[in-house]
């Protein structure tokens, strides 16, 4: 019975918030979310949906990179989450200047952002991969911190270039390619001549950023962490 | 009840039409009556602001034609008192007002033509009298259970300039806040599907209509043509929730929508339910091969 199959599918939830989708639905979602994300850049949920529906190759790849790395493996086992409720913001703020924790808190305050605004995954049909994409989203602000980039359009595009090289997620590639269309000519020049080449070089040189257990490295100086990962100093 | 024994069209036995014991359907989920009301309220609260945009996207604008046909079928004359239940964002109410206004205008034009030999004074007096009666005393009461939908409706009315002959009432189709024998016409467009006890809604419709009053229901129904049915299912289940997610950021509400359409009684069954409530001359008209149907009945 068609309806019974539909009913089963509806209860095939692999994790809270999971919405099972057919290949056709995923294709339509990918196309629709891409168009909507370009049309209305404030629809961050569309960027998230695009990432989920197009990540079927990149996500398993990332997961495997994590699995074969001791620190990444631990992250996959312990499933840490970066949320205001799990972070001790006061303690991090008290850490010395230049440390990861202190700079991260500074970044959140200056840009007036919070780690709790990341969308939970809906359309990823594997529970572990859902965590991987969730981790990627939650680590995004730390990328900003490590790269020293603000959350304006220019900064976001630079981070997207870095993430595109690092993760291979089509959503990052699209964001990196189309993001710049809304920038002024002057900013485009800086982007093209200095920032993007640096972001690409760093992205290629760096080890996988998802393999760092950031929550255990708050005291580490940002510069030392950059060196360890392989990110070149920002221009 | 009758609905439980009717031949099934795929839907799981206990979920058709009325509640079987304490369990009912919410789309394809099993829930209690109270849960269903709660969930449906939340769906419409969530979609209210994007309701009109989504209707246009999902039906490619065709819902406007369906609603036009409903009002034309109603063919209201000036002086009609209409109750539009589950009228939310006002689509039927505004069309009703437009219709009676144009009928009224034609009436006035005819009257003026007949008065060719009057003095200017007499013509002026005639005109003054009728000018303040552009609707000819027609009135529409929009009743909806959902505050958000009413809010959107009121804003739309203000924006489009509708004020005369229009009122908004918060109320439940299963228990209407109106006296007996009050209205000339009762409409419910794309609303009865969301009512938890359809039989009660039909009884209430009967109660508040005047003798001679008409019941009109516009609702998604069943497509019997097998090929068309498959295409319709494909479009409903594959495309509509995606549209919901992309346009409104709300997959679940639109998933509910397409499921609730499948759970709703087909044409003949609904006709029987309307007859059960006491209506006579009950009939239905399929639009677009049964994707939508208009049911009509009279209180004698």
């Amino acid at each position: 019975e068609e309806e019974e199959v539909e009913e089963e599918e509806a209860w095939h939830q692999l994790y809270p918030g999971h919405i099972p989708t057919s290949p056709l639905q995923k294709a339509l979602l990918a196309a629709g979310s891409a168009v909507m994300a370009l049309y209305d850049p404030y629809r961050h949920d569309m960027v998230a949906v695009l990432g989920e529906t197009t990540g079927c190759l990149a996500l398993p790849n990332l997961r495997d990179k994590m699995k074969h790395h001791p620190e990444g493996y631990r992250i996959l086992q312990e499933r840490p989450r970066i949320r205001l409720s799990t972070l001790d913001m006061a303690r991090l703020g008290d850490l010395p200047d230049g440390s990861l924790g202190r700079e991260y808190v500074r970044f959140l305050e200056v840009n007036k952002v919070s780690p709790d605004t990341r969308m939970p995954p809906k359309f990823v049909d594997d529970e572990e991969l859902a965590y991987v994409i969730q981790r990627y989203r939650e680590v995004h602000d730390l990328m900003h911190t490590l790269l020293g980039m603000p959350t304006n359009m220019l900064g976001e595009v630079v981070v997207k270039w870095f993430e595109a090289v690092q993760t291979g997620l089509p959503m990052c590639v699209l964001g990196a390619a189309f993001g710049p269309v809304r920038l002024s000519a002057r900013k485009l020049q800086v982007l093209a001549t200095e920032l993007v080449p640096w972001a690409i070089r760093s992205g290629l040189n760096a080890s996988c950023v998802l393999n760092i257990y950031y929550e255990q490295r708050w005291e580490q100086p940002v510069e030392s962490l950059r060196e360890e990962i392989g990110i070149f100093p920002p221009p | 009840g009758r609905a439980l024994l009717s031949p099934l069209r795929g839907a799981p036995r206990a979920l058709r039409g009325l509640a079987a014991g304490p369990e009912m359907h919410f789309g394809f989920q099993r829930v209690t009556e109270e849960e269903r009301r709660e969930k449906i309220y939340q769906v419409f609260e969530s979609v209210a602001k994007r309701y009109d945009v989504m209707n246009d996207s999902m039906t490619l604008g065709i819902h406007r034609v369906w609603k036009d046909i409903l009002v034309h079928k109603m063919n209201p004359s000036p002086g009609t008192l209409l109750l539009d239940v589950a009228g939310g964002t006002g689509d039927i109410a505004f069309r009703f007002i437009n219709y009676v206004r144009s009928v009224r205008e034609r009436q006035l034009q005819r009257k003026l033509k007949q008065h060719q030999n009057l003095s200017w004074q007499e013509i002026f007096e005639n005109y003054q009298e009728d000018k303040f009666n552009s609707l000819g005393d027609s009135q529409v009461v929009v009743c909806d259970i959902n505050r958000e939908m009413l809010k959107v409706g009121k804003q739309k009315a203000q924006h489009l300039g509708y004020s005369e002959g229009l009122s908004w009432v918060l109320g439940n189709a299963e228990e209407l806040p109106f006296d007996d024998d009050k209205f000339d016409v009762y409409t419910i467009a794309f609303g009865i599907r969301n009512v938890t006890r359809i039989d009660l809604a039909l009884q209430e419709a009967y109660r508040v209509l005047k003798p001679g009053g008409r019941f009109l229901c516009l609702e998604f129904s069943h497509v019997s043509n097998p090929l068309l049915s498959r295409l319709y299912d494909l479009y409903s289940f594959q495309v509509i929730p995606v549209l919901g997610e992309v346009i409104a950021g709300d997959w679940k509400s639109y998933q509910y929508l397409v499921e609730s359409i499948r759970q709703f009684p087909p044409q003949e069954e609904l006709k029987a339910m309307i007859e059960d409530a006491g209506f006579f001359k009950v009939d239905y008209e399929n639009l677009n091969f049964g994707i939508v149907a208009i049911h009509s009945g009279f209180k004698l």
Side-chain angles (χ1 to χ4, degrees):
Chain A
E1 283 286 25
E2 199 185 288
E3 261 99 312
E4 272 161 24
V5 169
E6 230 104 52
E7 240 182 324
E8 264 171 47
E9 247 186 63
W11 297 116
H12 216 50
Q13 257 201 342
L14 296 169
Y15 50 88
H18 179 215
I19 297 176
T21 43
S22 67
L24 175 58
Q25 285 174 326
K26 286 201 178 64
L28 292 171
L29 271 174
S33 61
V35 170
M36 191 52 107
L38 282 172
Y39 173 75
D40 182 357
Y42 290 103
R43 289 292 300 273
H44 300 302
D45 62 323
M46 286 294 102
V47 176
V49 169
L50 183 61
E52 289 168 33
T53 50
T54 55
C56 43
L57 288 174
L59 284 176
N61 206 351
L62 274 175
R63 186 257 311 268
D64 290 343
K65 274 194 201 166
M66 289 174 80
K67 241 183 174 155
H68 296 126
H69 186 279
E71 213 169 331
Y73 184 79
R74 260 194 308 125
I75 295 172
L76 277 178
Q77 295 289 80
E78 293 169 26
R79 303 278 180 99
R81 297 288 307 272
I82 301 179
R83 265 185 298 211
L84 282 176
S85 51
T86 56
L87 297 176
D88 188 349
M89 299 299 284
R91 185 180 79 88
L92 294 181
D94 281 341
L95 290 172
D97 282 346
S99 64
L100 182 65
R102 182 73 194 91
E103 295 311 310
Y104 176 61
V105 168
R106 180 168 293 143
F107 165 81
L108 292 178
E109 284 169 359
V110 165
N111 291 279
K112 298 194 182 55
V113 290
S114 148
D116 290 358
T117 58
R118 302 294 153 200
M119 301 262 336
K122 290 193 286 225
F123 302 112
V124 180
D125 291 337
D126 177 303
E127 183 259 339
E128 194 173 35
L129 295 181
Y131 174 74
V132 172
I133 207 172
Q134 175 105 79
R135 181 76 182 159
Y136 152 76
R137 284 179 191 157
E138 290 180 356
V139 154
H140 178 76
D141 289 335
L142 284 158
M143 291 302 100
H144 273 278
T145 310
L146 285 174
L147 295 170
M149 288 290 127
T151 56
N152 56 25
M153 199 65 200
L154 186 64
E156 291 291 353
V157 171
V158 176
V159 177
K160 273 284 163 291
W161 275 97
F162 178 80
E163 287 176 342
V165 171
Q166 272 275 312
T167 64
L169 281 166
M171 176 263 283
C172 298
V173 175
L174 285 172
F178 286 99
V181 301
R182 290 173 186 264
L183 291 173
S184 67
R186 191 174 52 87
K187 286 189 177 161
L188 271 175
Q189 220 204 354
V190 175
L191 192 69
T193 54
E194 284 180 41
L195 296 174
V196 168
W198 161 72
I200 296 176
R201 272 185 302 125
S202 290
L204 288 171
N205 187 53
S207 61
C208 179
V209 287
L210 289 185
N211 280 335
I212 310 290
Y213 209 135
Y214 298 99
E215 293 92 327
Q216 293 179 347
R217 292 163 174 268
W218 293 126
E219 289 88 0
Q220 190 173 357
V222 171
E223 273 181 36
S224 139
L225 188 56
R226 263 187 209 138
E227 245 190 78
E228 190 184 327
I229 299 176
I231 298 175
F232 300 123
Chain B
R2 174 193 297 264
L4 290 174
L5 303 172
S6 64
L8 309 155
R9 218 195 58 93
R13 207 152 314 167
L15 307 185
R16 208 43 145 168
L18 302 173
E23 287 215 317
M24 314 196 76
H25 56 84
F26 173 75
F28 290 159
Q29 295 174 48
R30 282 187 167 79
V31 293
T32 64
E33 224 175 82
E34 234 352 272
E35 282 174 340
R36 187 177 193 268
R37 286 202 183 91
E38 182 63 44
K39 280 171 133 53
I40 290 174
Y41 193 92
Q42 284 165 3
V43 163
F44 282 93
E45 202 174 40
S46 153
V47 307
K49 291 200 177 81
R50 312 258 186 163
Y51 186 71
D52 293 332
V53 170
M54 279 303 302
N55 285 345
D56 277 333
S57 318
M58 291 189 295
T59 64
L60 303 170
I62 300 173
H63 73 106
R64 297 168 183 238
V65 176
W66 294 332
K67 289 166 181 163
D68 287 340
I69 294 176
L70 177 70
V71 176
H72 276 260
K73 194 180 171 90
M74 191 196 304
N75 192 19
S77 47
T80 299
L81 182 50
L82 168 67
L83 174 64
D84 182 35
V85 175
T89 58
D91 281 348
I92 302 300
F94 303 152
R95 282 172 171 78
F96 170 80
I97 291 174
N98 291 344
Y99 196 98
V100 295
R101 224 180 236 155
S102 65
V103 171
R104 183 75 179 139
E105 252 173 56
R106 267 178 281 141
Q107 266 182 359
L108 292 176
Q109 273 170 18
R110 272 199 303 263
K111 253 178 99 175
L112 282 176
K113 274 210 184 110
Q114 287 166 7
H115 288 108
Q116 290 300 346
N117 294 321
L118 290 180
S119 68
W120 281 114
Q121 179 71 14
E122 283 164 301
I123 293 174
F124 178 72
E125 274 162 8
N126 258 320
Y127 181 68
Q128 285 282 55
E129 227 174 78
D130 298 323
K131 190 173 174 224
F132 296 110
N133 206 352
S134 65
L135 290 183
D137 292 324
S138 317
Q139 277 185 67
V140 52
V141 176
V142 179
C143 179
D144 200 295
I145 199 174
N146 194 293
R147 273 182 194 84
E148 284 309 309
M149 292 291 279
L150 277 179
K151 210 164 104 174
V152 172
K154 284 182 195 166
Q155 284 169 356
K156 243 170 92 178
Q158 218 178 31
H159 184 64
L160 297 170
Y162 292 98
S163 54
E164 211 189 319
L166 178 61
S167 49
W168 306 85
V169 175
L170 188 70
N172 184 344
E174 297 171 11
E175 207 181 325
L176 291 170
F178 305 110
D179 286 330
D180 300 1
D181 307 315
K182 258 201 89 172
F183 297 95
D184 297 307
V185 185
Y186 171 113
T187 51
I188 184 164
F190 300 116
I192 203 164
R193 197 182 71 250
N194 301 305
V195 169
T196 299
R197 290 287 303 276
I198 298 174
D199 56 335
L200 292 181
L202 293 172
Q203 284 168 30
E204 279 294 272
Y206 190 87
R207 179 180 71 77
V208 303
L209 276 171
K210 289 182 194 161
R214 189 178 198 184
F215 168 88
L216 283 167
C217 168
L218 173 67
E219 190 51 85
F220 288 109
S221 200
H222 286 248
V223 177
S224 43
N225 176 308
L227 174 62
L228 197 58
S229 175
R230 294 199 62 187
L231 286 172
Y232 178 47
D233 280 351
L234 188 74
Y235 178 73
S236 297
F237 284 99
Q238 299 299 319
V239 178
I240 289 185
V242 173
L243 279 177
E245 180 71 21
V246 173
I247 297 177
D250 188 349
W251 175 288
K252 295 217 143 95
S253 293
Y254 291 91
Q255 179 79 32
Y256 161 73
L257 173 87
V258 295
E259 290 176 356
S260 70
I261 293 174
R262 297 301 174 297
Q263 296 290 55
F264 188 69
Q267 288 84 334
E268 282 294 325
E269 213 178 297
L270 183 59
K271 176 176 172 201
M273 290 169 83
I274 296 171
E275 283 167 344
D276 278 352
F279 289 100
F280 283 93
K281 239 187 147 281
V282 179
D283 202 6
Y284 61 85
E285 182 190 336
N286 276 342
L287 302 178
N288 290 117
F289 298 103
I291 292 180
V292 158
I294 297 179
H295 280 69
S296 162
F298 290 89
K299 173 175 177 174
L300 295 184

